[in-house]
């Protein structure tokens, strides 16, 4: 009897606490979260499916994009509120125009955890491209100039004093096709795409991105400059919910500390959005293969972000006048690697 | 060279357009074909010229064409059929270019026929710059250039106004008088027929048959504007044609 | 008399009903519209009621163009693009005219090819680009192929339509003078079809310029299309618009070139 009462009381207190943590529980704020069908967006998927957004007082809706570029533009045009995307020349340029602001980190490379892979086409591999040391003068696939692929390829090759020829192909699908048919020699991509490709024998994994760019901040969380500057409550609520999704993901998929059942539960959630056209068993392999660290608490690696900015500027891809402060608002999350 | 038509008959689909036409076209003579519209006279001309194949009967060429004849059966069309992108000279040259004439010969022929049709001053003009009468003179010059054995003239003056028609008839008479040529001359205009024809064949309405062949003996050069004999012949021809023309006019086009 | 008075009273001038429907050239209106819009954009971006996210400042676009020309990069981008346009369009238009003439002349070919061309025409050529990359390689081959294929079908349709419209009486005239088949094609059919072929060429070349950007989507580092795509990816609106201005100028220039060709080849139309 008393135990029942106590539990009821605890429940009441818990609900009250949640209510306090989430501003304006009565009228939940509508937010549109930009997403892509990639495991790196798992933080958003889990936060939505497990009601973390609702807990934070947000009525969240996922809006899907085929590429990072239109997502950034949608946030600039206020058609979406939050997004997760790689740092690219386009994102920096939009930030410079006062449209978007990076507020946290998402996907990052971590030594010891399977991360992005460096790939070589079968033809190039047979001709001797068996390690990133041979990238000089090779045809390296990128989506567009100023994309994260461009940055990775240049930095990895430069580590060996090389300079590849970059071939813009606009879409990831086109890069995959070009790599399989040997039209390009090399590429780098997240493991859940890299591993099945390598398994088919059409391409070969010749290195890990993490070995060249440890702590590489691959994707970041961003929002419109207006939200970042003028609506702290909204941004904090989003980051809180997003971070809970990230924590679940890391525990289940990266650290595997939550047990097999938790992992399968997270796979189920992700499978709704990633490889949804494939059967569960097949998709699960890719999803598990592709697990990469998401920054705990949406922390952001400042050293990596600075390196990326400097590289984009040195290549003349973005204005030399852009500073970290132009596009980064570090007041929301923990900064690492500074 | 003479032309002989032997029992020519022709159909378009299930419609019989010509029936049992037998006619001689003697060398050096102009034979006019007259008849109501739709009687098949233009069809007959195309059969003679080999642009269509007769369903029945045959068209015979008797004797050899002149030695320097490049195109024995040569048409002059009602709509002139000049290439608008070629000059007067170029239009005449067109019909000579395929014949690999000795050097200088082509230029000589062109100059000659342009002089005969009084077009020498307009050799460089484009068809759009010419009047209707001049266009038809270019077409005649082009026909003369190949030195035809027989000229097949398909209502050559019908697209022209009355005055131009008179002038051009004078030109044709002058041309024939200087160098007699053989011609089959299709017209629905009886005045033209009695002015230019040595022999006038009157066709009935469809299916076209020969109603009568009228010989006109008076030399072309002596046929004046208001000649009583010619008036009489023209009246006679009109008498032959009138009922046919009226009946033809009242037929449904597809009937 | 009353007659006259009545006549006077009833006299009404005939109302004019014949105006309009006759476009007259107004030389200055076109450029003035352009200038007014540009001035408006300049003012708006300068005053701030057009955000830099919406539209670049026109003067900044001009500066970008000048910088592009000064650095020599303009040439680096123009040369490959012009080569791709020239080679691709020459292949497509040449093959298109040849096939169009053949369709116009031979009934069997017409029966065989017209449905095929009708099937090819509506295919978005951009969708075939990955296929072309496999067939012709990621370098110039696939770019030539895309532009050639894109210009081929409209040229075929324009050409066989033009051949169909050649005055049959001219062809019959050629036959009646015993001209060889080849002479009739060369001297009567082709010149007669030229007006239609040239107006088809106008459309084909505009399509070629549109496809240039698509062709440079895959694997091109230099070229006006690649330049525009890169500017779009970097969200660099000044460069994006600078590239678009170059494409527009290219369009105006090709149109003027065809105009000159028409005046030269079709002068006989007067």
């Amino acid at each position: 009897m008393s135990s029942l009462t106590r539990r009821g009381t605890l429940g009441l207190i818990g609900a009250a606490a949640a209510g306090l943590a989430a501003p304006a529980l009565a009228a939940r704020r509508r937010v549109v979260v930009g997403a892509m069908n990639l495991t790196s967006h798992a933080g958003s998927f889990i936060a939505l499916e497990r009601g973390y957004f609702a807990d934070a007082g947000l009525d969240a809706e996922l809006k899907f994009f085929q590429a990072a570029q239109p997502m950034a533009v949608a946030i600039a045009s206020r058609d979406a509120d939050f997004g997760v995307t790689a740092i690219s020349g386009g994102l920096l340029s939009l930030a410079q125009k006062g449209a978007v602001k990076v507020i946290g980190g998402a996907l990052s490379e971590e030594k010891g955890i399977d991360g992005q892979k460096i790939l070589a086409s079968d033809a190039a591999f047979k001709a001797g491209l068996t390690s990133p040391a041979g990238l000089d003068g090779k045809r390296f696939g990128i989506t567009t100039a100023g994309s994260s692929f461009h940055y990775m390829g240049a930095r990895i090759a430069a580590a060996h004093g090389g300079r590849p020829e970059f071939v813009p192909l606009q879409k990831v699908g086109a890069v995959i096709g070009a790599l399989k048919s040997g039209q390009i020699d090399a590429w780098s991509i997240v493991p859940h795409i890299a591993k099945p490709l390598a398994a088919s024998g059409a391409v070969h994994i010749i290195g890990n991105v993490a070995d060249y760019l440890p702590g590489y901040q691959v994707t970041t969380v961003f929002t419109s400059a207006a939200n970042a500057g003028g609506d702290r409550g909204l941004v904090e609520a989003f980051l809180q919910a997003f971070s809970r999704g990230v924590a679940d993901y890391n525990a289940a998929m990266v650290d595997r500390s939550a047990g097999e059942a938790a992992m399968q539960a997270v796979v189920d959630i992700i499978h709704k959005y990633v490889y949804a056209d494939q059967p569960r068993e097949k998709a699960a392999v890719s999803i598990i293969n592709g697990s990469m660290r998401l920054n705990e608490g949406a922390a952001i690696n400042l050293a990596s972000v600075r390196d990326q900015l400097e590289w984009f500027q040195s290549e003349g891809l973005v204005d030399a006048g852009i500073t970290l402060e132009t596009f980064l608002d570090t007041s929301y999350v923990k900064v690492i690697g500074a | 060279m003479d032309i002989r038509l032997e029992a020519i008959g022709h159909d378009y689909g299930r419609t019989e357009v010509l029936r049992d036409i037998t006619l001689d076209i003697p060398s050096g003579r102009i034979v006019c074909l007259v008849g109501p519209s739709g009687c098949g006279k233009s069809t007959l001309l195309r059969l003679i010229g080999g642009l269509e194949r007769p369903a029945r009967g045959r068209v015979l060429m008797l004797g050899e064409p002149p030695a320097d004849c490049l195109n024995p059966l040569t048409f002059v069309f009602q709509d002139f059929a000049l290439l608008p992108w070629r000059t007067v000279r170029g239009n005449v040259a067109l019909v000579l270019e395929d014949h690999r004439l000795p050097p200088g010969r082509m230029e000589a022929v062109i100059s000659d026929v342009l002089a005969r049709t009084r077009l020498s001053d307009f050799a460089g003009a484009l068809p759009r710059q010419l009047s209707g009468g001049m266009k038809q003179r270019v077409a005649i010059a082009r026909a003369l250039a190949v030195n035809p054995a027989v000229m097949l003239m398909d209502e050559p003056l019908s697209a022209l106004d009355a005055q131009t028609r008179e002038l051009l008839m004078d030109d044709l008479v002058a041309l024939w008088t200087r160098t007699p040529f053989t011609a089959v001359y299709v017209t629905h205009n009886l005045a033209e027929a009695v002015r230019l024809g040595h022999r006038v064949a009157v066709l009935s309405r469809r299916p076209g048959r020969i109603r009568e062949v009228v010989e006109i003996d008076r030399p072309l050069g002596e046929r004046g504007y208001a000649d009583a004999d010619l008036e009489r012949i023209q009246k006679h021809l009109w008498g032959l044609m009138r009922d046919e023309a009226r009946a033809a006019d009242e037929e449904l086009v597809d009937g | 008399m009353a007659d006259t008075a009545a006549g006077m009273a009833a006299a009404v001038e005939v109302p004019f009903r014949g105006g309009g429907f006759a476009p007259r050239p107004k030389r200055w209106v076109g450029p003035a519209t352009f200038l007014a819009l540009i001035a408006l954009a300049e003012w708006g971006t300068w005053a701030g009621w057009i955000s830099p996210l919406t539209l670049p400042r026109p003067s900044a676009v001009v500066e970008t163009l000048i910088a592009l020309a000064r650095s020599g990069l303009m040439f680096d981008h123009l040369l490959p693009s012009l080569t791709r346009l020239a080679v691709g369009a020459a292949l497509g238009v040449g093959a298109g005219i040849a096939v169009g003439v053949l369709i116009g002349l031979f009934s069997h070919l017409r029966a065989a090819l017209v449905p095929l061309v009708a099937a090819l025409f509506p295919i978005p050529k951009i969708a075939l680009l990955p296929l072309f990359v496999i067939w012709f390689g990621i370098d110039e081959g696939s770019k030539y192929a895309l532009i050639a294929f894109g210009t081929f079908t409209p040229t075929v349709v324009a050409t066989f339509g033009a051949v169909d419209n050649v005055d049959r009486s001219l062809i019959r005239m050629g036959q009646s003078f015993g001209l060889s088949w080849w002479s009739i094609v060369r001297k009567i059919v082709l010149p007669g079809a030229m007006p239609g072929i040239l107006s088809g060429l106008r459309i084909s070349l505009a399509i070629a310029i549109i496809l240039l950007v698509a062709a440079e989507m895959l694997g091109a580092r230099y070229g006006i299309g690649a330049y525009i795509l890169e500017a779009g990816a970097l969200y660099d609106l000044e460069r994006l618009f600078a590239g678009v201005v170059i494409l527009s100028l290219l369009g105006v220039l090709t149109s003027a070139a065809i105009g000159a060709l028409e005046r030269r080849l079709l002068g006989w139309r007067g």
Side-chain angles (χ1 to χ4, degrees), chain C residues 34-59:
Chain C
F34 259 102
L35 284 176
L37 284 175
I38 290 171
L40 195 71
E42 182 76 29
W43 176 43
T45 45
W46 185 79
W49 51 268
I50 298 178
S51 89
L53 203 58
T54 315
L55 213 62
R57 187 178 300 176
S59 56

Side-chain angles (χ1 to χ4, degrees), chain A residues 69 73 76 89-90 93-94 97 99 139 144-146 165-170 174 178 181 183-184 316-317, chain C residues 52-53 133-139 216-221 226 229-230 232-239:
Chain A
Q69 168 73 3
V73 174
S93 198
L94 282 170
K97 291 183 164 66
R139 301 164 68 101
T144 57
E165 184 195 327
F166 291 101
V167 182
L169 294 156
Q170 312 307 325
S181 59
Q183 306 276 0
I184 56 171
L317 292 162
Chain C
L53 203 58
V133 168
I134 305 290
W135 290 354
F136 304 107
I138 203 160
D139 297 313
E216 292 179 353
M217 270 172 40
L218 289 193
R221 297 188 65 204
L229 288 164
E230 184 179 319
L234 295 172
Y235 215 79
D236 188 333
L237 292 184
E238 281 84 15
R239 284 163 70 191

Side-chain angles (χ1 to χ4, degrees), chain A residues 248-320:
Chain A
D248 283 7
Y249 178 81
N250 283 338
M253 307 294 292
V254 185
D255 302 324
R256 314 255 166 118
S257 56
E260 178 66 21
M263 180 160 109
Q264 293 305 332
V266 168
V267 167
D268 281 336
I269 289 176
I270 295 175
H271 183 229
K272 285 190 186 175
Y273 303 99
V274 183
Y275 299 126
D277 55 337
Q278 292 182 9
R280 165 70 166 74
E281 315 82 74
K282 201 176 165 214
V285 177
S286 300
I287 291 168
I288 295 165
N289 266 337
S291 303
M292 273 181 77
R293 171 77 71 197
L294 298 176
N295 293 86
E296 205 68 50
I300 189 160
N301 189 322
L302 206 57
S304 171
V305 171
R306 184 181 294 119
D307 182 64
Q308 295 183 50
L309 173 64
E310 281 166 5
W311 181 81
F312 285 120
Q313 287 176 327
S314 71
E315 290 291 306
L317 292 162
V318 299
D319 195 286

Side-chain angles (χ1 to χ4, degrees), chain B residues 12-35:
Chain B
Y12 283 138
R14 257 178 273 165
T15 310
E16 188 184 17
V17 285
L18 290 171
R19 182 182 291 174
D20 196 27
I21 305 269
T22 297
L23 186 67
D24 277 323
I25 295 132
S27 183
R29 290 296 179 106
I30 298 178
V31 175
C32 289
L33 296 177
V34 298

Side-chain angles (χ1 to χ4, degrees), chain C residues 238-260:
Chain C
E238 281 84 15
R239 284 163 70 191
L240 183 74
F241 271 73
V244 169
V245 167
I246 295 174
L247 276 193
S248 294
L249 287 177
L250 219 53
V252 171
L253 284 180
T254 33
S255 177
I258 295 171

Side-chain angles (χ1 to χ4, degrees), chain C residues 14-30:
Chain C
V14 173
F16 175 64
R17 301 180 287 181
F21 302 104
R24 269 166 304 192
K26 300 268 189 221
R27 256 172 192 289
W28 52 272
V29 177

Side-chain angles (χ1 to χ4, degrees), chain A residues 135-206:
Chain A
L135 279 175
D136 186 41
K138 290 290 184 297
R139 301 164 68 101
F140 194 96
I142 59 175
T143 50
T144 57
S147 61
S148 56
F149 304 106
H150 197 183
Y151 165 77
M152 282 187 277
R155 279 299 198 220
I156 292 164
H160 297 283
R163 234 186 131 73
E165 184 195 327
F166 291 101
V167 182
L169 294 156
Q170 312 307 325
K171 287 184 181 139
V172 166
V175 184
I176 293 173
L179 191 69
K180 276 183 174 170
S181 59
Q183 306 276 0
I184 56 171
D185 302 318
W187 189 37
S188 59
I189 188 62
V190 288
H192 73 87
I193 294 177
K195 286 177 184 171
L197 278 177
S200 74
V203 304
H204 303 269
I205 293 173
I206 60 168

